[in-house]
Amino acid sequence: QVQLVESGGGSVQAGGSLRLSCAASVYSYSIYCMGWFRHVPGKEREGVALLNTNGGGKRYADSVKGRFTISQDNGKNTQYLQMNSLKPEDSAMYYCAAAGRRCTWIPSDYRYWGQGTQVTVSS
């Protein structure tokens, strides 16, 4: 059982920055991978960043490489997505998700999801 709560979303002008947080409460479950996904109505969810909680490996979507950074605190109970140089096309509902066995870009591989936090980037 995992409970995930996102925070940090908001409205920002193009070129600005936001930091999203994901607080995780874990009960009898081992998280193998934490992912950040984003969704715009009418489109499929898009993987943004992945973090392997064991080895610390990170992966990013091509669209955000060099601008976004995923990280976690020392206790591994909170994950962050630092978003810099934001663009209007980054506007979406952002979700954090947890998977126990795989670390992929496929949303259905993640068992637990937060409720999402809205990010709006204006030009």
Side-chain angles (χ1 to χ4, degrees):
Q1 175 70 27
V2 178
Q3 293 179 322
L4 304 173
V5 180
E6 303 100 332
S7 62
S11 298
V12 65
Q13 292 184 339
S17 299
L18 288 172
R19 188 179 73 162
L20 307 183
S21 299
C22 178
S25 299
V26 183
Y27 308 91
S28 300
Y29 186 86
S30 296
I31 298 176
Y32 181 78
C33 185
M34 291 294 302
W36 283 96
F37 294 78
R38 62 189 182 187
H39 179 250
V40 176
K43 298 181 179 180
E44 296 182 352
R45 276 179 292 180
E46 175 189 20
V48 176
L50 307 177
L51 187 153
N52 185 306
T53 61
N54 290 323
K58 303 172 182 179
R59 289 188 283 167
Y60 299 94
D62 289 342
S63 60
V64 306
K65 285 182 179 178
R67 300 188 298 118
F68 290 12
T69 303
I70 189 171
S71 62
Q72 63 184 3
D73 63 13
N74 291 333
K76 299 183 179 181
N77 62 333
T78 304
Q79 288 72 46
Y80 305 94
L81 184 67
Q82 179 67 47
M83 305 185 295
N84 298 326
S85 301
L86 283 163
K87 305 174 181 179
E89 50 263 45
D90 294 320
S91 297
M93 183 72 75
Y94 282 73
Y95 300 88
C96 65
R101 299 180 181 180
R102 295 193 287 180
C103 208
T104 73
W105 296 108
I106 305 173
S108 62
D109 286 341
Y110 292 79
R111 183 173 181 178
Y112 298 100
W113 293 81
Q115 293 299 309
T117 185
Q118 180 68 45
V119 172
T120 302
V121 184
S122 62
S123 60

